[in-house]
Amino acid sequence: MTFLSAAPLPADVLTAFADGSLRVIDLTAPLSAATPVLPLPDGMVPIPRFRLEQLAHYDMPNEISLQNGIHTGEHVGTHFDAPLHWETGRDGEDVGSVPAGKLVAPAVVIDKSAECAANPDYLLTVEDIVDWQASNGPLPDGGWLLYRTGWDARSHDQDLFLNADAEGPHTPGIHPDCARWLAEEAPVTGLGVETVGTDAGQAFRFDPPFPAHSHLLGRGKYGVTQLQNLAQLPPVGAVLIVAPLRIVGGSGSPARVLALVGGGPDAAASTPASQNGEN
């Protein structure tokens, strides 16, 4: 029997990891029972929170392992939205059929954290992106647009993260016109955000409701939510690795999301890994 194998990684890549000139930044929020979950409107089935069910433990009689059952919604914590998630993408890919090659791609970061600190309902516009491109170049073909709002600083607390009042949640998002533009005209394959979902907290009032979901997923593009540590990424030059579970028929999945960034040994050592999410 003949076994075929992929070629080994280039030596310069391995050297770059070894000397710290290529770094891994973890953009994933910890997943636990405390992870914030999006409350859905009345009449919709609520998203189940994450929990572990202990099945076996070393201290139990005749047990030599630790095993847990996992109970969660597909769209809890840092997670991936497949086109099938939304009615506009009902004929699109489920999370299990997304090609692996689309899950590793270049990423750019647009930082509107100052604007969002002043206005939690801030909406990213096409004009914001055009202005950003004037200084940083075009959006990456087949890559990701990562929208930094500073909202990851609130992710430890459900109330702070959702920021809701009698009118509903107040969290940053995408203007409806911008969502359509990203779906129909921009070359990106997906949108990544720090908030609980790719849409603004007040997006249920927009036309269409939840336009980031409606437009992007309807065009076969993807979403990644509840990212952290976007402040550690450069505006351009990062490579994003999105690793959802390969769930057959799934509309989404919790995901480990990593970024590869350049930087010499001094940059790698400037902030301890335990503080900056770096591995």
Side-chain angles (χ1 to χ4, degrees):
M1 182 180 293
T2 301
F3 292 92
L4 300 178
S5 62
L9 285 173
D12 55 350
V13 172
L14 300 177
T15 299
F17 275 116
D19 67 17
S21 58
L22 184 61
R23 299 179 291 139
V24 181
I25 305 297
D26 196 342
L27 306 184
T28 316
L31 183 58
S32 73
T35 296
V37 174
L38 179 67
L40 298 181
D42 291 343
M44 298 182 67
V45 177
I47 298 172
R49 303 188 75 91
F50 178 87
R51 67 180 177 89
L52 291 178
E53 176 191 8
Q54 189 177 97
L55 303 177
H57 192 279
Y58 335 101
D59 295 336
M60 294 178 178
N62 303 316
E63 288 292 347
I64 59 173
S65 68
L66 173 64
Q67 297 189 54
N68 296 305
I70 298 174
H71 301 265
T72 188
E74 297 170 314
H75 303 273
V76 174
T78 302
H79 67 269
F80 178 87
D81 289 346
L84 189 68
H85 176 42
W86 217 249
E87 61 179 354
T88 52
R90 63 190 306 159
D91 296 323
E93 296 164 331
D94 65 10
V95 70
S97 61
V98 174
K102 289 187 175 182
L103 299 176
V104 181
V108 299
V109 180
I110 292 182
D111 184 353
K112 291 296 179 181
S113 55
E115 289 84 349
C116 295
N119 175 16
D121 291 313
Y122 185 85
L123 302 178
L124 186 72
T125 65
V126 176
E127 290 74 18
D128 288 332
I129 299 176
V130 170
D131 289 345
W132 181 93
Q133 289 183 114
S135 300
N136 297 280
L139 299 179
D141 190 4
W144 288 82
L145 171 62
L146 306 181
Y147 176 29
R148 182 178 176 234
T149 59
W151 218 253
D152 57 336
R154 296 168 170 255
S155 64
H156 64 285
D157 183 277
Q158 170 97 3
D159 291 338
L160 282 174
F161 197 56
L162 299 179
N163 195 37
D165 60 17
E167 296 181 344
H170 294 275
T171 59
I174 310 294
H175 190 280
D177 292 342
C178 186
R180 182 185 296 275
W181 183 85
L182 287 171
E184 298 180 358
E185 300 186 43
V188 295
T189 195
L191 169 69
V193 300
E194 296 169 322
T195 45
V196 71
T198 52
D199 273 294
Q202 290 289 301
F204 63 94
R205 303 180 187 275
F206 296 172
D207 183 17
F210 308 103
H213 283 81
S214 182
H215 291 309
L216 283 134
L217 300 182
R219 286 282 178 154
K221 297 187 177 185
Y222 311 123
V224 173
T225 77
Q226 297 193 46
L227 298 174
Q228 298 195 340
N229 298 319
L230 292 186
Q232 297 179 41
L233 303 188
V236 298
V239 172
L240 198 69
I241 301 172
V242 181
L245 298 174
R246 196 174 183 185
I247 303 171
V248 176
S251 71
S253 169
R256 192 75 179 256
V257 182
L258 308 173
L260 304 182
V261 298
D266 292 342
S270 62
T271 305
S274 61
Q275 295 180 19
N276 69 7
E278 180 180 329
N279 293 322

